[in-house]
Amino acid sequence: MSTSPHSSTQQAQQALAARLRDIRLDAGLTARAIARSAGWHESKSSRIEHARMKPSDADIRAWCAACDAEDQVPDLIAASRVVDSMYVEWRRLQKSGLRQLQESKVPLYEATRHFRVYCSHVIPGFLQTPAYARALLTAFGSFHGVPDDTEEAVAARVARSRILHEGDHRFALLLEESVLRYRLGDAEAMAGQLGHLLAIVSLPSVALGVIQGPGVPGF
């Protein structure tokens, strides 16, 4: 499952980019050939394939025409519009504040039986302490310019963690070693978060793995 509507949007755009790349490869064409046929700069083909630029409907039609794959156009345009709708929903949730963003995931969390989570930067949301979540959400809200409802968002995020103790859920968690060292909040907040993580991994429903960084003593 995805960690946020934003990450889901990114994944959908990357999937669209991968399909366009596969169509080009199946046609035996280079990115330069696509650009020449479509009448745009070669760098545009690269940006589209690497999901750094979302193609318009006209771009998709030109791409498929160059690859003699016009039959793919309706499906690709539909996928592109799904990306658009997901992004609009993400922006709507941002504008309505962080609390609603937290609460919007509750139905999915409650319906999910097996969680497989990989985190390379921060502790997963449902394992966060109030102090750690407050530091993270404060920084997030400030960066994205969303309404300041940090305390309500923290309460919603912490309340969401009840899934660890309720229902028939199983959690397989994989963290980069840097997650345990990356500091959010003060020393007391970090100590409390690491202590909480140790308590959580003692639950029979939780399995935690840590990817050790180079030159770091084993855990």
Side-chain angles (χ1 to χ4, degrees), residues 11-219:
Q11 290 168 9
Q13 184 163 335
Q14 289 165 356
L16 175 61
R19 289 182 64 184
L20 290 170
R21 182 172 60 252
D22 287 344
I23 288 172
R24 176 181 66 77
L25 293 174
D26 288 344
L29 297 177
T30 63
R32 179 175 297 175
I34 293 286
R36 186 166 52 248
S37 174
W40 61 52
H41 194 276
E42 183 181 352
S43 63
K44 179 174 177 177
S45 298
S46 177
R47 292 198 303 273
I48 289 174
E49 283 200 1
H50 290 87
R52 292 195 295 267
M53 173 183 178
K54 183 183 170 298
S56 66
D57 291 359
D59 292 337
I60 291 173
R61 292 190 180 96
W63 191 289
C64 290
C67 298
D68 194 23
E70 287 90 345
D71 60 318
Q72 302 272 1
V73 169
D75 190 37
L76 289 168
I77 288 179
S80 176
R81 291 177 180 173
V82 167
V83 175
D84 287 336
S85 66
M86 292 172 72
Y87 180 75
V88 169
E89 175 66 7
W90 166 245
R91 294 301 301 169
R92 183 189 68 78
L93 287 171
Q94 280 192 312
K95 290 178 180 178
S96 63
L98 294 173
R99 178 188 61 81
Q100 185 171 340
L101 187 59
Q102 303 304 308
E103 293 177 343
S104 69
K105 303 299 291 184
V106 170
L108 175 61
Y109 276 45
E110 291 177 341
T112 301
R113 184 174 180 184
H114 297 288
F115 290 76
R116 296 176 179 85
V117 180
Y118 166 74
C119 287
S120 60
H121 296 93
V122 297
I123 301 293
F126 52 82
L127 301 182
Q128 293 174 8
T129 64
Y132 185 95
R134 184 175 297 107
L136 178 61
L137 293 174
T138 296
F140 180 88
S142 176
F143 180 80
H144 289 282
V146 300
D148 184 9
D149 61 348
T150 302
E151 291 306 316
E152 293 86 350
V154 169
R157 173 163 287 196
V158 172
R160 199 172 64 184
S161 66
R162 69 178 183 273
I163 61 169
L164 290 163
H165 308 281
E166 298 177 358
D168 185 20
H169 305 292
R170 295 291 182 271
F171 305 86
L173 312 172
L174 184 61
L175 309 181
E176 296 282 353
E177 179 272 336
S178 58
V179 170
L180 307 178
R181 297 176 180 272
Y182 180 67
R183 181 166 169 173
L184 279 168
D186 56 22
E188 183 178 356
M190 282 302 299
Q193 178 61 69
L194 295 177
H196 179 65
L197 186 61
L198 286 173
I200 291 299
V201 297
S202 68
L203 296 174
S205 59
V206 177
L208 173 67
V210 176
I211 300 176
Q212 182 177 316
V216 177
F219 284 86

